Amino acid sequence: IGGGVGVHHFTCVGTLSFIGGMSRVAKDVPPYCVVEGTRSEAKKINTTALMRRRWCDSEIEALREAFRMLYRTGDLSVREAIDELRSRATRPPSVMRLCDFVERTDSGVHGRQLEGSRGTDNPRR
């Protein structure tokens, strides 16, 4: 997480993700992704961190393809893209973790999977 980053409470930051400095994060940050700026949108796969940890090229490429399917192509909805990725014969564990994270985030409130776990015992309600 870069300097001066503001992260909304009940927001999850995924494994090996990167948040650029002075960013505003209001939604969950998917694992293995780069988020920069104020829109809280994943920009790309964090290949720098993956290569530094000596991940194999085939798994990095599988994550890139999964990212394109989930975030870049307008051909499929997120649900359809997740179903397509899960149905493939070669499914690296990292791609499955990314799919699980995105699915939980989409079922949350305002793009935050933990938002639903807020306490309901607030006396001001």
Side-chain angles (χ1 to χ4, degrees):
I1 297 176
V5 171
V7 180
H8 191 282
H9 58 282
F10 296 103
T11 300
C12 294
V13 177
T15 303
L16 296 177
S17 60
F18 177 83
I19 303 172
M22 301 303 289
S23 296
R24 180 179 151 263
V25 180
K27 296 180 181 179
D28 291 348
V29 177
Y32 321 114
C33 292
V34 173
V35 171
E36 297 174 318
T38 59
R39 296 191 56 195
S40 299
E41 293 179 356
K43 305 285 186 198
K44 63 179 187 166
I45 292 295
N46 187 6
T47 54
T48 303
L50 301 177
M51 287 188 289
R52 285 179 181 168
R53 284 164 178 79
R54 293 183 172 84
W55 282 40
C56 66
D57 292 338
S58 62
E59 191 156 5
I60 293 172
E61 189 54 40
L63 276 170
R64 282 182 175 158
E65 183 181 355
F67 181 84
R68 281 191 295 271
M69 287 180 70
L70 290 166
Y71 294 102
R72 295 292 176 240
T73 60
D75 301 339
L76 301 172
S77 69
V78 172
R79 175 79 257 154
E80 292 169 338
I82 289 171
D83 290 342
E84 169 68 26
L85 289 167
R86 286 195 173 139
S87 69
R88 294 186 174 179
T90 55
R91 301 183 309 245
S94 57
V95 171
M96 293 301 98
R97 281 192 290 276
L98 178 61
C99 289
D100 292 343
F101 190 95
V102 170
E103 193 170 46
R104 285 191 309 270
T105 297
D106 282 350
S107 67
V109 180
H110 305 297
R112 295 183 292 269
Q113 61 181 303
L114 294 178
E115 188 77 37
S117 65
R118 282 180 146 185
T120 57
D121 57 345
N122 186 345
R124 292 193 221 174
R125 287 189 183 178

